[in-house]
Amino acid sequence: MKSKKKKLLTFTLILGLVFGASSCKSDKDKGSNEKSADKNSKEVVTVWTSGSENVKETWRKLADGFNNNEEYNQGKYEMQVQHVSSGTGATNLFDRVISQYKSGKKESEFDLVEVNGGEYEIYTKEGGKDIFLDIEKDKLKNKDKVKSDQLASGSEQLVPYRGTTVVLAYDENKVKNPPKTDKELYKWIKDNPGQFAYCTPGSGGSGASFVLTSVYNFLPEESLYSNDKKWEEKWDQGFKLLKELHPFMYKSSGKVVYPNKNQGSLDLLMNGQISMTPSWVDLIISQLNQGTLPDSIKMVQIKPSFTGDLVSLGIPKNTKNKDGALAIIDYALSKDAQTILLDEMGAFPVIDANEIDSKNKDLISSFKIEDFRSYDIGNLSQDLAERWDKEISTLE
């Protein structure tokens, strides 16, 4: 009996030694694997964007392109994208970036932020002029390829990576000779009552651009880059024009109707209820590719042109990975990235379009990004929309 107990105890001890050794070896291997994983892991760089779904999907493809391109990710950076949909969410993005900066947080979750048009003024007004880092442009090997970086403000802290503009969209089956100037357009509207529409300026940028240019075409060029309220005193001539055009706009049930949002006016064109409307060029290209717009819809830019927008990238001062953010900016300016942007969302390349082979290239061949008409009038944009609401939308 004692002999059996002794053998059992010996066997148990042997098992313990075997499993103990195995456990130690396993822990050792685990530690080795963890060190190896740490050595091979990449630094995550988070890009924050906002806007419509096509922006989000395009940036996902840009992330795949960057993450699979060691020339730009240098074998150590991984791009991740966080997207905030249009609307109140975009305002929350401002709040969060500004809040983290003001809190003194040293390592923000915002490594790189997409900045549209007048948003730079919001950031700097609420967060201060140094909320973004000055861009070390000597670290961007593709910077010299950029053909257009005419920013109204923030040129030291922002790098434009795509462009868009409002153009005149028309149905070629109904309009054989589209207007080439603003005066020709206004005459066409009066000669073709009910065949033109623009969305309310407070709901869409295409309508806002039509109103802005109708007013500011009477003012000196410098007014397009000033938020001085003195210019409001000179808006009367432009509003007189808008009132003259009002009776000739699209009507429903005998009453002038201004559609809601950019898509609203484009829907009227698509459905044949009107023959012409101002619209964002990337919106037109996207919907032509999707087949939701008929092939008879064409684009033309009048002179003086409608306004456009250069969309930029900025690095918040409290980023946790400045070098990784610069690597992504450099990639965004590359031929590969610019091709993705043109293919996926009809964005104007900021580099020479001749370097790009895209299915959408022919659609933008008549436009040049260096001819874009930018503007930066700050809070006057809101004042302009409010005056339109009071004086134009209320007309019979």
Side-chain angles (χ1 to χ4, degrees):
M1 189 75 175
K2 287 182 180 180
S3 176
K4 287 183 179 181
K5 286 183 178 179
K6 186 175 181 181
K7 287 180 180 179
L8 181 61
L9 179 60
T10 301
F11 180 69
T12 302
L13 287 171
I14 291 172
L15 282 178
L17 289 170
V18 170
F19 282 107
S22 175
S23 176
C24 288
K25 183 179 180 182
S26 175
D27 287 343
K28 184 178 179 181
D29 288 344
K30 182 179 178 183
S32 176
N33 290 337
E34 284 179 349
K35 288 178 181 178
S36 177
D38 288 342
K39 185 178 180 180
N40 295 326
S41 64
K42 295 180 179 178
E43 300 173 39
V44 173
V45 186
T46 306
V47 181
W48 287 78
T49 68
S50 62
S52 55
E53 286 297 303
N54 68 331
V55 176
K56 178 173 74 173
E57 294 306 317
T58 301
W59 267 100
R60 284 181 175 176
K61 295 196 174 184
L62 288 173
D64 288 340
F66 176 83
N67 293 335
N68 290 305
N69 190 325
E70 289 206 0
E71 177 185 354
Y72 290 97
N73 67 41
Q74 302 167 39
K76 61 180 179 179
Y77 301 123
E78 178 184 337
M79 186 201 306
Q80 290 186 4
V81 179
Q82 292 288 345
H83 182 79
V84 180
S85 298
S86 297
T88 55
T91 303
N92 289 335
L93 178 55
F94 300 145
D95 292 340
R96 290 168 65 182
V97 174
I98 293 167
S99 175
Q100 283 203 9
Y101 175 69
K102 284 186 171 181
S103 71
K105 187 174 182 179
K106 293 183 178 179
E107 292 193 348
S108 166
E109 62 185 307
F110 306 100
D111 294 315
L112 192 60
V113 178
E114 186 184 62
V115 183
N116 299 298
E119 291 179 351
Y120 179 76
E121 182 174 332
I122 297 173
Y123 279 114
T124 54
K125 182 179 179 181
E126 299 296 327
K129 293 292 184 182
D130 58 350
I131 189 170
F132 292 111
L133 290 172
D134 284 352
I135 299 294
E136 297 176 46
K137 296 179 182 178
D138 59 324
K139 293 187 177 181
L140 305 176
K141 59 178 176 290
N142 290 320
K143 186 67 177 69
D144 291 340
K145 294 182 179 180
V146 176
K147 295 295 182 181
S148 179
D149 59 358
Q150 74 273 31
L151 293 172
S153 55
S155 59
E156 295 300 316
Q157 298 178 317
L158 302 177
V159 176
Y161 81 98
R162 66 179 170 93
T164 186
T165 191
V166 175
V167 295
L168 199 58
Y170 66 97
D171 188 336
E172 68 173 352
N173 292 332
K174 298 180 179 180
V175 183
K176 301 304 180 183
N177 297 299
K180 296 179 176 62
T181 68
D182 59 338
K183 290 180 176 59
E184 288 181 12
L185 172 58
Y186 304 144
K187 184 178 185 303
W188 187 94
I189 292 171
K190 293 178 180 179
D191 290 344
N192 298 270
Q195 290 299 300
F196 185 88
Y198 63 91
C199 68
T200 58
S203 70
S206 60
S209 180
F210 180 83
V211 171
L212 177 74
T213 52
S214 296
V215 172
Y216 276 74
N217 283 352
F218 291 106
L219 304 180
E221 190 72 11
E222 64 179 294
S223 64
L224 281 171
Y225 304 97
S226 171
N227 61 3
D228 193 325
K229 282 188 172 289
K230 72 178 183 180
W231 298 113
E232 290 193 19
E233 301 170 5
K234 303 180 184 297
W235 287 354
D236 291 350
Q237 193 171 0
F239 272 90
K240 180 182 177 183
L241 170 64
L242 293 170
K243 289 173 183 177
E244 289 176 0
L245 295 175
H246 173 81
F248 302 96
M249 294 293 154
Y250 165 74
K251 292 182 180 179
S252 178
S253 301
K255 184 179 180 181
V256 171
V257 174
Y258 293 95
N260 188 47
K261 297 186 177 181
N262 299 310
Q263 189 61 51
S265 58
L266 201 55
D267 285 344
L268 292 177
L269 181 65
M270 175 179 64
N271 297 328
Q273 293 170 275
I274 60 174
S275 302
M276 193 181 296
T277 186
S279 183
W280 290 103
V281 66
D282 53 328
L283 184 62
I284 298 170
I285 290 176
S286 294
Q287 297 192 18
L288 283 172
N289 287 336
Q290 294 165 8
T292 54
L293 275 180
D295 292 338
S296 62
I297 302 304
K298 305 299 180 183
M299 299 177 284
V300 67
Q301 183 63 285
I302 62 173
K303 294 183 179 180
S305 65
F306 294 120
T307 49
D309 193 8
L310 283 171
V311 184
S312 303
L313 295 170
I315 305 174
K317 191 170 184 178
N318 54 346
T319 176
K320 63 180 182 297
N321 201 326
K322 178 189 70 175
D323 290 337
L326 285 168
I328 291 175
I329 292 176
D330 203 27
Y331 171 73
L333 302 178
S334 71
K335 175 184 173 181
D336 289 349
Q338 292 289 298
T339 302
I340 290 172
L341 288 160
L342 180 53
D343 276 346
E344 298 302 320
M345 60 186 300
F348 272 84
V350 296
I351 66 173
D352 188 347
N354 291 323
E355 294 187 25
I356 297 174
D357 183 17
S358 169
K359 61 186 179 183
N360 292 328
K361 190 173 178 178
D362 289 343
L363 293 172
I364 65 164
S365 60
S366 62
F367 307 114
K368 294 181 179 179
I369 195 168
E370 51 264 37
D371 293 336
F372 274 20
R373 192 181 187 191
S374 59
Y375 74 100
D376 187 357
I377 63 173
N379 293 331
L380 295 186
S381 291
Q382 184 176 344
D383 294 348
L384 191 68
E386 289 177 354
R387 180 168 173 179
W388 186 93
D389 287 339
K390 292 176 182 177
E391 297 186 17
I392 307 301
S393 69
T394 54
L395 294 172
E396 293 297 328

